[in-house]
Amino acid sequence: MVLLTADLIAKSISRFKKKRGLSHPEYLKTITHLHFSNKNIQDIGDISLCRNLTVLYLYDNQITKICNLGFAFNLTHLYMQNNDITRMENLSSLQMLSKLYLGGNRITVVEGLEQLTELKELHLENQRLAPGEKLLFDPSTLLALAKSLCVLNINRNNIDYIRDLAALKELHRYCEKHFLVSIYFQELEDVLSHWPQLLQMDLRGNPVCKLSKYRDRLITACRSLEILDGREINELTRQFLINWKASKEAKMRRSNIRMLTGPLICQARCLMGTRKPEAPSRPAAKLRSGCVCPCLAVQIFLHRFFQYR
């Protein structure tokens, strides 16, 4: 088993240590970046002498557990994608962490990030999940990240429910390509209304992309979007779609008002004597004159009111 330790670090940087004329402990204290990707590392040992560490590269290894990083108060970037990690744990002390890369592991629940108030980017794409499993989100973690998280990458994780993600109000970039289960478009629109600063979104490969007017509806639902599915949004196109939607909604409102108030206007004319009600020669809903008796007018009004409200 290959264990990441201070001795292993010393062997890999011995020539630099000698060049600067520093002792082993002294040099470890000066290290800010550690590159140990693709080294068959299976566990993280005691590397606490690297107290000024800010960036740690441990991707493409065989690590099963995040541990022994409690000393790294200055760590801002952690790259641990493509390992065998199953839980997001022992991260609470990394309060300066800005970017966390855990894609390609075996994580099933996004959790344990409540103390990471500086986290800007979270990458969890392509988790190696068992058949039927999907990536889940701990509500307390989402709430804690609401004011900081700007980038969320959760590609290919079988997610079919995203309403909880509405809590991430500072999100600028959202990527969720190729999930297997479709979601309701209305749910997607509702979530987008809670992301006023979203600039980029990529949903390519999802069933929702096949819906009619998919792109047009998302552009009008999230007016801050600049890039959707890798394609830039033209500002003239955006304004045209917004105006078209507003015109359509206004026309629908006018139509509903006419349908709701028509019977009452007719009733008022009859009661004022400006128009005589006619006896129906066919079903009341299809009267030749459109005028109905007061009682029937009220019934029709109530029916349409509850139908279109």
Side-chain angles (χ1 to χ4, degrees):
M1 181 178 75
V2 180
L3 182 67
L4 179 62
T5 62
D7 289 336
L8 182 63
I9 296 172
K11 291 178 182 178
S12 67
I13 60 174
S14 58
R15 59 190 180 93
F16 299 104
K17 181 182 65 175
K18 291 178 181 178
K19 185 176 180 180
R20 296 192 181 187
L22 298 173
S23 66
H24 170 50
E26 289 175 336
Y27 186 73
L28 289 178
K29 292 177 183 178
T30 67
I31 294 175
T32 58
H33 292 60
L34 273 183
H35 296 262
F36 278 89
S37 58
N38 197 22
K39 300 292 185 181
N40 296 317
I41 294 173
Q42 296 173 295
D43 203 357
I44 303 171
D46 183 7
I47 56 173
S48 58
L49 287 175
C50 305
R51 63 181 64 175
N52 291 309
L53 195 62
T54 58
V55 181
L56 179 57
Y57 296 94
L58 289 174
Y59 58 87
D60 294 337
N61 283 297
Q62 302 166 29
I63 299 170
T64 58
K65 186 178 181 180
I66 304 173
C67 61
N68 292 325
L69 294 178
F71 70 93
F73 301 112
N74 297 311
L75 196 67
T76 60
H77 294 59
L78 179 58
Y79 297 83
M80 296 188 72
Q81 59 267 47
N82 300 326
N83 280 282
D84 289 308
I85 299 168
T86 57
R87 289 194 60 191
M88 298 174 65
E89 57 187 346
N90 302 320
L91 293 167
S92 59
S93 61
L94 309 182
Q95 297 185 15
M96 295 298 293
L97 197 64
S98 175
K99 297 183 180 182
L100 178 58
Y101 293 82
L102 290 172
N105 282 283
R106 301 181 184 275
I107 296 167
T108 56
V109 181
V110 181
E111 59 184 343
L113 306 179
E114 290 81 1
Q115 304 301 318
L116 306 189
T117 56
E118 298 297 323
L119 193 64
K120 303 293 183 185
E121 296 188 19
L122 179 58
H123 300 264
L124 293 163
E125 72 284 359
N126 301 319
Q127 297 301 314
R128 302 197 301 278
L129 303 171
E133 278 191 324
K134 57 187 176 183
L135 188 65
L136 303 175
F137 295 85
D138 179 4
S140 60
T141 287
L142 290 177
L143 188 61
L145 297 178
K147 296 182 179 180
S148 65
L149 197 67
C150 297
V151 177
L152 179 62
N153 183 354
I154 48 176
N155 288 345
R156 299 179 183 269
N157 285 311
N158 300 345
I159 295 171
D160 60 353
Y161 184 79
I162 64 170
R163 194 173 297 277
D164 290 343
L165 300 181
L168 304 174
K169 299 185 183 300
E170 296 298 317
L171 212 59
H172 290 178
R173 181 155 58 94
Y174 175 71
C175 191
E176 185 180 354
K177 295 188 287 187
H178 303 285
F179 59 77
L180 301 181
V181 186
S182 181
I183 60 173
Y184 292 109
F185 196 92
Q186 184 61 52
E187 178 185 337
L188 181 58
E189 287 183 309
D190 291 344
V191 172
L192 287 178
S193 68
H194 291 83
W195 295 343
Q197 301 189 64
L198 191 67
L199 302 177
Q200 298 182 41
M201 182 165 64
D202 199 335
L203 299 175
R204 282 176 288 186
N206 292 310
V208 72
C209 299
K210 299 178 182 179
L211 297 178
S212 176
K213 302 291 184 180
Y214 151 78
R215 185 175 176 86
D216 294 351
R217 291 173 65 182
L218 284 192
I219 291 173
T220 55
C222 187
R223 300 185 182 185
S224 61
L225 268 181
E226 296 179 355
I227 299 176
L228 176 59
D229 297 341
R231 292 169 52 195
E232 189 173 348
I233 297 172
N234 182 277
E235 195 57 38
L236 291 177
T237 300
R238 185 203 311 277
Q239 197 56 51
F240 169 80
L241 292 172
I242 291 173
N243 293 340
W244 173 80
K245 181 181 179 181
S247 175
K248 184 179 178 181
E249 290 176 347
K251 183 177 180 181
M252 185 176 297
R253 284 195 298 269
R254 290 194 298 268
S255 176
N256 288 342
I257 290 173
R258 285 196 298 268
M259 295 178 69
L260 291 172
T261 60
L264 290 184
I265 294 174
C266 181
Q267 176 190 354
R269 288 177 178 176
C270 292
L271 294 176
M272 293 172 64
T274 58
R275 188 173 189 175
K276 295 182 179 180
E278 300 179 4
S281 58
R282 62 182 67 183
K286 298 182 179 180
L287 288 179
R288 176 166 42 84
S289 66
C291 178
V292 295
C293 69
C295 292
L296 186 55
V298 172
Q299 294 177 24
I300 294 175
F301 171 76
L302 292 175
H303 170 72
R304 289 178 174 173
F305 177 79
F306 287 107
Q307 180 179 6
Y308 291 102
R309 63 177 299 178

